[in-house]
Amino acid sequence: NAGVTQTPKFQVLKTGQSMTLQCAQDMNHNSMYWYRQDPGMGLRLIYYSASEGTTDKGEVPNGYNVSRLNKREFSLRLESAAPSQTSVYFCASSEGFGTGGNQPQHFGDGTRLSIL
Amino acid sequence: LAKTTQPISMDSYEGQEVNITCSHNNIATNDYITWYQQFPSQGPRFIIQGYKTKVTNEVASLFIPADRKSSTLSLPRVSLSDTAVYYCLVGGPNTGGFKTIFGAGTRLFVKA
């Protein structure tokens, strides 16, 4: 049982390049999330998907787009990467349909992204 | 949304019991208290969740007083491998998973 799988694990981009981060979960969860974590900081929510076919902005959505491809997969796209987007990106999923702040979230191991 | 406050960092020694307290004065009636653990280079991992009184699992115990305005995560006999960041979150069935907020957490450093 893999849980939440993120690819790639590491990536270096140049300013202005685009890239898609991939995330897949095999727990049949309904909700999925993308977070970023900067050094020494907590996690900040970028986008979330409360159910298949829906996506909504989180706390820091600027510069990102997402696609909930199907129930399993939720991708995050940087259209024109900027140095300020250098961070570790985490994908997570939870069982409920977006509601349920008490629903435990299951996280992947992150994508470490550096933008030069 | 209930805000949480927890110590920035704590030190301990192997074999000791560690208690990390989280304050959540504005907790709502339907809110649960959830703790996560994050090791370096990994995503957060769910540890324990509770609503009131005491919850215990194979990893930790969670103590919640009657007024629920605070909670204490207790790690029995810590080892070096318990060095991690611990996050306290508060949310309920109607909060929305997207509204749970991970603050800076508590950095626990276990020494030999």
Side-chain angles (χ1 to χ4, degrees):
Chain A
N1 188 353
V4 178
T5 302
Q6 293 184 235
T7 56
K9 295 189 185 305
F10 303 93
Q11 185 69 45
V12 178
L13 295 177
K14 294 181 180 179
T15 298
Q17 286 186 318
S18 62
M19 173 168 188
T20 299
L21 308 185
Q22 306 288 351
C23 174
Q25 53 91 8
D26 62 3
M27 296 172 283
N28 201 36
H29 284 173
N30 292 294
S31 297
M32 297 186 74
Y33 314 82
W34 276 105
Y35 293 88
R36 62 176 289 175
Q37 185 173 37
D38 299 319
M41 305 285 287
L43 285 78
R44 291 186 292 170
L45 184 65
I46 305 171
Y47 270 93
Y48 64 93
S49 171
S51 63
E52 186 178 355
T54 68
T55 61
D56 280 289
K57 297 177 180 179
E59 181 185 359
V60 289
N62 292 341
Y64 305 95
N65 286 302
V66 291
S67 295
R68 183 74 182 267
L69 305 172
N70 47 55
K71 191 172 185 179
R72 290 186 64 248
E73 298 172 288
F74 189 38
S75 63
L76 178 72
R77 182 163 179 82
L78 286 71
E79 291 291 352
S80 179
S84 62
Q85 294 177 306
T86 293
S87 190
V88 181
Y89 291 84
F90 289 102
C91 177
S93 68
S94 64
E95 186 174 358
F97 285 95
T99 57
N102 58 310
Q103 294 271 345
Q105 296 184 28
H106 300 258
F107 286 80
D109 283 336
T111 294
R112 283 144 190 82
L113 183 62
S114 293
I115 299 162
L116 307 176
Chain B
L1 186 66
K3 179 182 176 182
T4 61
T5 303
Q6 53 184 122
I8 294 173
S9 65
M10 295 180 67
D11 289 344
S12 183
Y13 289 93
E14 281 191 295
Q16 289 188 332
E17 178 184 73
V18 171
N19 296 309
I20 305 174
T21 298
C22 179
S23 297
H24 27 79
N25 291 320
N26 296 322
I27 189 168
T29 302
N30 294 331
D31 283 348
Y32 286 73
I33 301 148
T34 308
W35 285 82
Y36 289 82
Q37 174 190 56
Q38 185 179 25
F39 296 116
S41 303
Q42 294 186 23
R45 181 175 72 104
F46 169 83
I47 303 177
I48 197 167
Q49 184 180 79
Y51 182 80
K52 62 180 180 180
T53 62
K54 177 184 175 182
V55 179
T56 297
N57 61 24
E58 65 277 6
V59 177
S61 294
L62 179 59
F63 298 92
I64 305 168
D67 66 5
R68 304 200 327 121
K69 292 184 182 300
S70 68
S71 59
T72 299
L73 175 72
S74 181
L75 305 172
R77 298 178 300 281
V78 294
S79 63
L80 296 176
S81 62
D82 290 316
T83 293
V85 179
Y86 294 82
Y87 298 96
C88 166
L89 282 76
V90 172
N94 298 316
T95 302
F98 50 86
K99 291 183 181 176
T100 53
I101 296 174
F102 287 82
T106 298
R107 293 183 175 276
L108 172 64
F109 186 68
V110 180
K111 307 174 193 176

